Amino acid sequence: MAGLNCGVTLALLGGLLLGAALLPRRAEASEIALPPGSGLTVSIKPGTLSVARPCYILFSKTPTIMLSIKSGEKKTFSFMCQNPENHFVIEIHKNIDCVSGRCPFGEVQLQPPTSALPALNRTFIWDIQAHKSIGLELQFSMPRLRQIGPGESCPDGVTHSISGRTNAAMVKIGTFCSNGTVSRIKMQERVKMALHLPWFHDRNVSGFSIANRSSIKRLCIIESVFEGEGSATLMSANYPDGFPEDELMTWQFVIPPHLRASVSFLHFNVSNCEKKEERVEYYIPGSTTNPEVYKLADKQPGNMAGNFNLSLQGCDQDAQNPGILRLKFQVLVQHPQNESYITYTVDLSNERATSLTIEPRPVKLSRKFVPGCFVCLESRACSTNLTLTPGSKHKISFLCDDLTRLWMNAKQTISCMDHRSCHRKSYLLQVPRDILQLPVQLHDFSWKLLVPKDKLSLALVPAEKLQQDTRERICNTSFSYLMASSSSSPGQDLYFGYFCSGGSIEQIQVKQNMSVTLRTFSPSFQQEVSKQGLKVSFIPHFKEEGVFTVTPDTKSKVYLRTPNWERGLPSLNSVSWNISVPNDQVACLTFVKEQTGLVCQTGRAFMIIQDQRTQAEEVFTLEEMLPKPSFHHHNFWVNVSNCSPVSGKQLNLLFQVSLTPRTIVGKRRKTRAWL
């Protein structure tokens, strides 16, 4: 019996020890004492982090999930788990009454100090109230603050949330991280400042002080100080929600005098105004029209030297449909470049329906600070892209560290709607000098050529004969012409291809409307400007989609191919080549492939080769074998007419023409006959 009792006792003792081991271990006890009259309240409450096992605060031998300590109280407590930072947060709230008592201006202390608090995520909140006529200023010592938007977070987890008051409502001024440009925030009547510190952060200073200021007569003023090049992104109060109705908010920017500042609106919305008008106002150094007033949709000022102010003014909104006013913008500060002191005049007053767009080239984004690249109209209205419209003279300058980051695209429309007035008229397709003088590379200059349907066609004659770009002979020039014709019928547009100078094509005739795009590939285009130029004429209408006039060079082969090379010649289209043969030469016509691979669904596809002197012609069906190489002593035609092909079995034809002196060809034929 004694043995049995001993065994039971040992088993019971082992179970108790095991149970004690499984119980959550308590963290060390903490004590918080708040001085009487300090205006402090400390609250410990559950955090937002979802944790499987619960944790409790043990206070006066009673488990609880919340604990509040008021001014003049002292409480000792502990946590019934080893990781309370995953379960609880602590808020330290301090009311500062500047209405009935003296306002504690100067540096704000962290009370209680972080060393006296348990290691929890903690938020210090200062709620400062003053008389309506008193302005309160928060001054931030180094590092200054950087505003962040919704969904963004601070790298070190330390955030500053600042609110103000308008009438009876609290207004969120913004959320901020460290390492920015915001040095001071001024508000009226009431300020609420919240400093959030993660549990592992050992910061022991608030980082700001409070100063007394006279009435600012607006919602708030934010000061942003730049020491050198950089950028700042800022937002209107309550962003992304609506800016308070009929309020005024100002940003003051302190810029070193040797730098230049530009403003870009990244996102904005306007409300439905019943009275007044929403606007932004600038006080700019040296301006004779201060304040300069802009609509939110306007291009904002750039290339500004020295300090300046920007203010956002709301309006009286429609009670039934107020809409929403909000603004997110960026200020970019950088060194001026030599080009920023040069003004270029672009005269489009006499240009026929010409527009010019200067814009950034597509580039990979970089995380490092990259100076802005702006185009400025009249030296002040700066933006990353600018479109100059026809009918006016424009004065532009550039605020950009590297002008190769920009390029230009221009468009011009030449139309003839009355065939009687413009028959045989001609125009020169040439880039205007005012555009060529700009220090930015031209990317595209596109001409849209319009003719009355079935009345007139187009003829293009280049300043220098053209070469068609093919895989066998690639264009290696600094620019090319991209040519295409447009049709009112779906799927009937013709892409003729790329053409460059230095070839054998003397003229291109097109049946209907077409576009010609001069595209540059390198800055050396400026040295080859004399080679550019196409004369376009309105000529009597003809039925073929295109006619190429070709005079082969005796020194090299000419490669020619049908339009729409990658997609195939459209159904029922016809294209011709008028090939000239010098008197002392013989032309050899060779097709690169033996078969086209074409399969017709309806109709027939054929090719006609006709001698222009004798009118003798040969007809070939393009679904069968292509003809063998043939020799031509006189000018001749090559005509290709398509059927309605089966999908995937399109017509693509590539051929070459080469010249040989007649004596050599005669000797070859005699040798073959003798053999």
Side-chain angles (χ1 to χ4, degrees):
M1 239 359 230
L4 179 62
N5 290 337
C6 181
V8 170
T9 303
L10 288 173
L12 181 60
L13 179 59
L16 290 171
L17 290 172
L18 179 61
L22 292 174
L23 286 172
R25 299 171 64 190
R26 299 179 187 175
E28 294 182 3
S30 300
E31 180 182 277
I32 296 178
L34 302 180
S38 62
L40 288 168
T41 301
V42 175
S43 301
I44 302 175
K45 52 189 179 181
T48 57
L49 188 65
S50 177
V51 182
R53 291 186 178 182
C55 181
Y56 297 96
I57 306 168
L58 188 63
F59 172 67
S60 296
K61 299 182 180 180
T62 303
T64 182
I65 60 171
M66 295 185 69
L67 182 66
S68 179
I69 307 160
K70 297 180 180 179
S71 178
E73 293 182 342
K74 179 172 74 171
K75 292 185 178 179
T76 303
F77 58 92
S78 61
F79 297 101
M80 300 177 69
C81 59
Q82 283 296 306
N83 54 349
E85 68 277 2
N86 293 336
H87 300 265
F88 297 99
V89 296
I90 185 168
E91 284 187 0
I92 304 95
H93 196 285
K94 181 175 178 65
N95 286 315
I96 301 176
D97 185 2
C98 297
V99 177
S100 57
R102 186 180 177 186
C103 208
F105 296 121
E107 186 178 352
V108 175
Q109 304 296 323
L110 290 185
Q111 294 178 316
T114 52
S115 58
L117 298 174
L120 305 177
N121 290 336
R122 46 200 178 271
T123 303
F124 290 87
I125 301 172
W126 294 270
D127 197 340
I128 311 162
Q129 290 187 323
H131 194 272
K132 287 185 177 182
S133 62
I134 297 297
L136 295 169
E137 179 178 284
L138 304 182
Q139 300 175 346
F140 300 95
S141 56
M142 299 296 286
R144 301 186 179 108
L145 303 186
R146 173 176 61 87
Q147 190 170 7
I148 59 173
E152 295 181 88
S153 59
C154 300
D156 59 358
V158 178
T159 60
H160 307 71
S161 297
I162 302 170
S163 301
R165 183 186 182 115
T166 174
N167 299 323
M170 292 300 293
V171 178
K172 181 182 177 182
I173 303 302
T175 302
F176 301 83
C177 303
S178 301
N179 298 321
T181 62
V182 175
S183 58
R184 293 189 291 179
I185 298 178
K186 306 172 190 177
M187 282 168 285
Q188 194 85 10
E189 184 183 353
R190 185 174 179 183
V191 178
K192 193 171 184 179
M193 163 75 182
L195 172 64
H196 174 77
L197 301 174
W199 66 270
F200 52 82
H201 209 285
D202 59 357
R203 177 167 169 166
N204 56 11
V205 294
S206 69
F208 75 98
S209 58
I210 304 173
N212 182 16
R213 292 291 179 263
S214 58
S215 174
I216 61 172
K217 296 181 172 59
R218 63 199 67 206
L219 175 63
C220 76
I221 300 173
I222 296 179
E223 182 185 77
S224 181
V225 178
F226 287 84
E227 303 286 350
E229 286 191 319
S231 65
T233 300
L234 297 157
M235 286 148 266
S236 57
N238 281 345
Y239 190 90
D241 296 327
F243 187 69
E245 183 177 5
D246 195 26
E247 275 293 345
L248 176 64
M249 182 174 182
T250 296
W251 292 266
Q252 296 176 334
F253 296 97
V254 180
I255 312 292
H258 63 283
L259 299 180
R260 299 292 181 269
S262 298
V263 177
S264 301
F265 284 4
L266 305 178
H267 180 259
F268 69 87
N269 291 94
V270 294
S271 55
N272 299 314
C273 295
E274 198 170 67
K275 294 180 182 179
K276 302 181 183 178
E277 187 178 11
E278 294 168 344
R279 62 190 185 275
V280 285
E281 296 180 354
Y282 292 85
Y283 280 85
I284 302 173
S287 173
T288 58
T289 58
N290 281 327
E292 293 190 10
V293 180
Y294 292 77
K295 294 181 180 179
L296 275 75
D298 292 340
K299 288 184 177 176
Q300 304 302 309
N303 202 19
M304 294 178 286
N307 306 339
F308 70 97
N309 294 355
L310 184 160
S311 296
L312 174 65
Q313 174 67 65
C315 68
D316 292 329
Q317 298 172 348
D318 186 335
Q320 301 299 322
N321 183 23
I324 186 171
L325 171 62
R326 58 185 170 194
L327 172 63
K328 180 179 182 180
F329 67 97
Q330 183 186 66
V331 175
L332 193 61
V333 175
Q334 62 193 75
H335 286 284
Q337 307 300 315
N338 291 334
E339 289 294 338
S340 65
Y341 298 106
I342 302 174
T343 299
Y344 297 89
T345 300
V346 181
D347 188 359
L348 300 181
S349 56
N350 296 320
E351 293 297 333
R352 179 187 291 262
T354 304
S355 64
L356 173 67
T357 299
I358 304 172
E359 58 191 352
R361 292 171 180 264
V363 293
K364 293 182 179 180
L365 296 177
S366 172
R367 292 187 177 183
K368 296 180 180 179
F369 169 73
V370 178
C373 202
F374 296 99
V375 192
C376 303
L377 187 63
E378 301 294 340
S379 78
R380 183 61 60 76
C382 300
S383 61
T384 54
N385 57 69
L386 177 67
T387 297
L388 305 181
T389 54
S392 300
K393 271 188 179 182
H394 307 275
K395 292 184 178 181
I396 65 172
S397 58
F398 297 91
L399 181 62
C400 187
D401 66 319
D402 181 6
L403 289 174
T404 61
R405 294 167 57 189
L406 299 172
W407 64 18
M408 299 185 288
N409 292 289
K411 295 179 181 179
Q412 185 181 65
T413 300
I414 299 175
S415 61
C416 169
M417 294 298 106
D418 184 359
H419 67 282
R420 292 167 298 185
S421 64
C422 52
H423 177 53
R424 297 295 180 187
K425 269 191 176 181
S426 62
Y427 298 91
L428 187 61
L429 306 187
Q430 200 169 37
V431 182
R433 289 183 180 180
D434 278 9
I435 293 177
L436 291 173
Q437 55 126 7
L438 296 175
V440 177
Q441 183 181 340
L442 176 69
H443 176 234
D444 279 354
F445 197 113
S446 297
W447 291 272
K448 192 173 184 180
L449 309 175
L450 306 177
V451 295
K453 187 177 180 182
D454 299 334
K455 298 292 184 182
L456 291 175
S457 294
L458 296 161
L460 297 169
V461 177
E464 291 191 6
K465 289 192 290 185
L466 299 178
Q467 166 198 327
Q468 187 171 17
D469 183 72
T470 63
R471 190 173 296 174
E472 291 71 19
R473 191 176 178 193
I474 298 171
C475 285
N476 290 317
T477 53
S478 63
F479 72 97
S480 291
Y481 291 104
L482 173 61
M483 299 187 189
S485 70
S486 56
S487 171
S488 56
S489 303
Q492 294 296 305
D493 290 353
L494 265 185
Y495 170 74
F496 289 107
Y498 279 101
F499 299 84
C500 58
S501 59
S504 301
I505 300 173
E506 293 184 334
Q507 181 177 258
I508 301 173
Q509 294 172 284
V510 180
K511 172 183 174 182
Q512 56 197 355
N513 299 338
M514 73 174 300
S515 65
V516 178
T517 299
L518 185 151
R519 175 164 294 171
T520 69
F521 301 101
S522 72
S524 62
F525 167 69
Q526 291 285 356
Q527 282 74 53
E528 298 183 1
V529 163
S530 60
K531 296 181 181 180
Q532 60 108 12
L534 289 171
K535 187 174 80 171
V536 58
S537 303
F538 297 100
I539 61 174
H541 179 71
F542 58 88
K543 293 184 178 181
E544 289 182 280
E545 299 302 321
V547 178
F548 296 82
T549 300
V550 183
T551 300
D553 189 345
T554 58
K555 297 179 181 178
S556 60
K557 297 176 182 178
V558 180
Y559 287 91
L560 301 164
R561 66 184 185 188
T562 50
N564 274 25
W565 178 251
E566 294 182 355
R567 293 174 291 170
L569 188 67
S571 299
L572 309 178
N573 273 205
S574 177
V575 183
S576 292
W577 290 264
N578 178 8
I579 301 174
S580 299
V581 181
N583 292 332
D584 60 342
Q585 301 286 319
V586 175
C588 179
L589 173 65
T590 306
F591 295 91
V592 175
K593 292 184 178 180
E594 293 183 352
Q595 289 183 315
T596 62
L598 173 69
V599 177
C600 290
Q601 188 171 15
T602 59
R604 292 182 61 201
F606 54 87
M607 178 173 62
I608 300 173
I609 302 176
Q610 183 188 60
D611 187 296
Q612 294 184 22
R613 177 180 291 185
T614 65
Q615 302 298 308
E617 61 181 37
E618 295 178 278
V619 181
F620 304 91
T621 301
L622 294 176
E623 291 181 277
E624 300 174 358
M625 296 287 289
L626 289 172
K628 300 293 183 182
S630 58
F631 292 92
H632 301 269
H633 293 74
H634 311 118
N635 300 347
F636 65 99
W637 287 97
V638 176
N639 171 265
V640 174
S641 297
N642 199 11
C643 60
S644 291
V646 173
S647 178
K649 300 293 183 178
Q650 308 295 330
L651 174 58
N652 290 305
L653 195 63
L654 174 67
F655 60 94
Q656 69 179 34
V657 179
S658 58
L659 294 179
T660 308
R662 286 195 178 194
T663 54
I664 296 177
V665 174
K667 288 180 180 178
R668 287 177 181 170
R669 287 182 176 175
K670 286 179 181 178
T671 303
R672 287 173 187 164
W674 182 78
L675 290 172

